[in-house]
Amino acid sequence: MPFKDLKEREKEQRRNYILDAAEKMFFSRGYDNVSMDDIAREICLNKATLYIYFKNKESLFFAVVLRGALILNAMIKERIKQCKSGMEILDAIGIAYFEFLGKYPDYSRAYLYFRSDRFSIEDKESLCDDAKRVLELRDEEFSIVCSAIKSGIDEGTIRPDLDPVEVTVFLTLIVKALTEMRPNFKKVLESRGIAPYQFFKDAAGFVHYMLANTEKKGTK
């Protein structure tokens, strides 16, 4: 292996080593309870070494969030591969989100925190490349949902009077609310024997009812 490639490989390995340690600390203690000093001590490196790979703690956290965002994006794309209609795509995306929450709760929480008011993520010019990539993935998923709704309208399965962009924003807000459900709401549902997955399925049913075109295409 050429010396230059070897150095790049070693640099990438060191970066991932730092990122793995920071990820564990962010997940176990929360973003605000972890400092660059803490991370440096955890991996027995000089803090100055961390800044060679990451500009600050924020950029380190964004790199962790990107890991989760890439997993979610891949799960969505895998789920929609075999879909034949716009409504099927919407269902598949919903299932992918729910599976992501169940399999990767730590990444899910990190992603939610990333989207909170804690960070100025809409000021894209000041963001690091990892944060920009997270937003690109977010926008890509928004476009997938919007396209699915347009397809459903063209197919006649989704109401023609709906605006695809407006509905996509609405569905995005619903998903956000489901993933950030208050603990007392969870207890209320549990007291009625409604498990999280059942509630998710019921919510999907409500959405179907709101979006479904009950008139045949081409009729008044």
Side-chain angles (χ1 to χ4, degrees):
M1 181 181 292
F3 180 74
K4 181 179 179 182
D5 292 342
L6 181 62
K7 294 296 290 184
E8 285 299 317
R9 182 176 178 180
E10 291 177 348
K11 184 177 180 181
E12 184 64 20
Q13 289 175 337
R14 176 65 65 83
R15 184 181 187 275
N16 285 328
Y17 176 65
I18 294 170
L19 189 54
D20 288 343
E23 177 180 286
K24 291 179 181 178
M25 297 181 75
F26 287 141
F27 286 172
S28 63
R29 295 163 56 178
Y31 175 82
D32 293 310
N33 295 318
V34 176
S35 68
M36 292 294 269
D37 285 321
D38 294 332
I39 297 169
R41 282 195 295 269
E42 180 70 17
I43 56 180
C44 300
L45 286 178
N46 188 297
K47 186 169 71 170
T49 303
L50 300 187
Y51 289 109
I52 295 175
Y53 297 90
F54 298 96
K55 181 180 178 181
N56 48 37
K57 185 179 76 166
E58 190 175 271
S59 64
L60 227 175
F61 180 69
F62 291 163
V64 172
V65 174
L66 177 57
R67 284 179 164 182
L70 287 168
I71 292 172
L72 173 60
N73 189 266
M75 291 175 70
I76 289 173
K77 289 181 177 178
E78 182 62 29
R79 272 284 177 183
I80 67 176
K81 275 184 179 179
Q82 306 302 320
C83 293
K84 298 179 180 179
S85 69
M87 196 68 89
E88 283 185 11
I89 292 174
L90 294 182
D91 288 341
I93 292 172
I95 292 171
Y97 268 106
F98 190 82
E99 289 181 341
F100 177 71
L101 291 173
K103 292 181 179 180
Y104 306 98
D106 291 322
Y107 280 129
S108 177
R109 283 190 289 270
Y111 189 38
L112 287 175
Y113 198 59
F114 169 80
R115 294 187 299 172
S116 70
D117 294 333
R118 179 66 176 76
F119 307 103
S120 301
I121 60 174
E122 300 307 328
D123 182 15
K124 294 184 179 181
E125 294 302 318
S126 64
L127 291 177
C128 65
D129 290 342
D130 286 338
K132 289 178 181 178
R133 180 61 180 144
V134 173
L135 295 181
E136 287 174 1
L137 292 171
R138 181 195 66 178
D139 293 343
E140 180 182 340
E141 289 153 16
F142 186 96
S143 296
I144 291 173
V145 174
C146 194
S147 295
I149 295 168
K150 289 178 181 177
S151 295
I153 292 173
D154 292 339
E155 296 156 0
T157 57
I158 293 178
R159 287 165 44 195
D161 61 313
L162 299 177
D163 180 277
V165 174
E166 183 180 23
V167 174
T168 303
V169 171
F170 177 68
L171 295 180
T172 301
L173 291 174
I174 289 177
V175 171
K176 186 174 186 295
L178 289 173
T179 55
E180 296 177 344
M181 188 186 300
R182 285 166 20 195
N184 65 307
F185 282 172
K186 293 180 180 179
K187 290 181 179 179
V188 169
L189 292 172
E190 288 173 1
S191 70
R192 300 184 66 81
I194 302 174
Y197 185 67
Q198 183 59 50
F199 182 71
F200 171 79
K201 288 178 62 178
D202 291 342
F206 301 153
V207 170
H208 265 272
Y209 184 78
M210 289 187 290
L211 300 185
N213 181 16
T214 56
E215 297 182 1
K216 291 183 180 181
K217 188 175 181 181
T219 62
K220 293 183 179 180

